Amino acid sequence: EYLMESGGGSVQPGGSLKLSCAASSYAVNTYCMGWFREVPGKIQEGVAVICPDGQTSYADSVKGRFTISVLRARNTLFLQMNDLQPEDASVYYCAADYRPQGLIDGVEDVLHYAYQGQGTQVSVSS
């Protein structure tokens, strides 16, 4: 499965960005999909996940600020990020995998999804 992220950039604290992940029709209709981020030192954090039944899960650090969604007509996964803070600066990766059990393993399970994109950089500074 080929995943391609876009939408990264540089914003000031309090700003917004919307990340996109282009995928296949099969992926958006069959896989749980999500986002994780990697900071310097290779620390990875699950950010948000969504499954075909609409279930979502978020990291506590982004709840109320980030929203994950899927537009199946465009085979695209999104991550709307509002009120960005310096600690959100990272490389953001899109990921997908078959999860018949849904989100029972929580948002951190996205780190173990089989398919991952190349990442898009998000910078937050004044």
Side-chain angles (χ1 to χ4, degrees):
E1 179 64 38
Y2 183 73
L3 304 172
M4 174 63 78
E5 302 94 338
S6 61
S10 181
V11 297
Q12 294 184 338
S16 297
L17 283 173
K18 188 171 186 177
L19 305 183
S20 299
C21 174
S24 69
S25 175
Y26 183 82
V28 298
N29 287 288
T30 307
Y31 296 152
C32 288
M33 301 184 71
W35 299 89
F36 68 93
R37 58 192 181 187
E38 185 174 283
V39 299
K42 301 298 185 183
I43 299 171
Q44 295 181 331
E45 178 188 19
V47 175
V49 292
I50 186 168
C51 287
D53 63 0
Q55 289 185 82
T56 59
S57 183
Y58 295 90
D60 287 344
S61 58
V62 306
K63 282 181 181 176
R65 300 188 298 124
F66 291 12
T67 302
I68 189 170
S69 62
V70 173
L71 184 57
R72 289 188 169 80
R74 291 176 54 188
N75 299 331
T76 304
L77 175 73
F78 297 103
L79 185 68
Q80 176 67 48
M81 306 186 295
N82 298 328
D83 190 26
L84 283 160
Q85 300 301 317
E87 55 266 31
D88 296 314
S90 186
V91 180
Y92 283 73
Y93 296 86
C94 171
D97 205 349
Y98 184 57
R99 286 291 188 267
Q101 72 272 31
L103 298 179
I104 192 171
D105 294 317
V107 66
E108 289 299 312
D109 188 40
V110 71
L111 301 178
H112 306 292
Y113 285 5
Y115 306 106
Q116 299 178 358
Q118 296 299 306
T120 185
Q121 179 74 51
V122 171
S123 301
V124 185
S125 65
S126 54

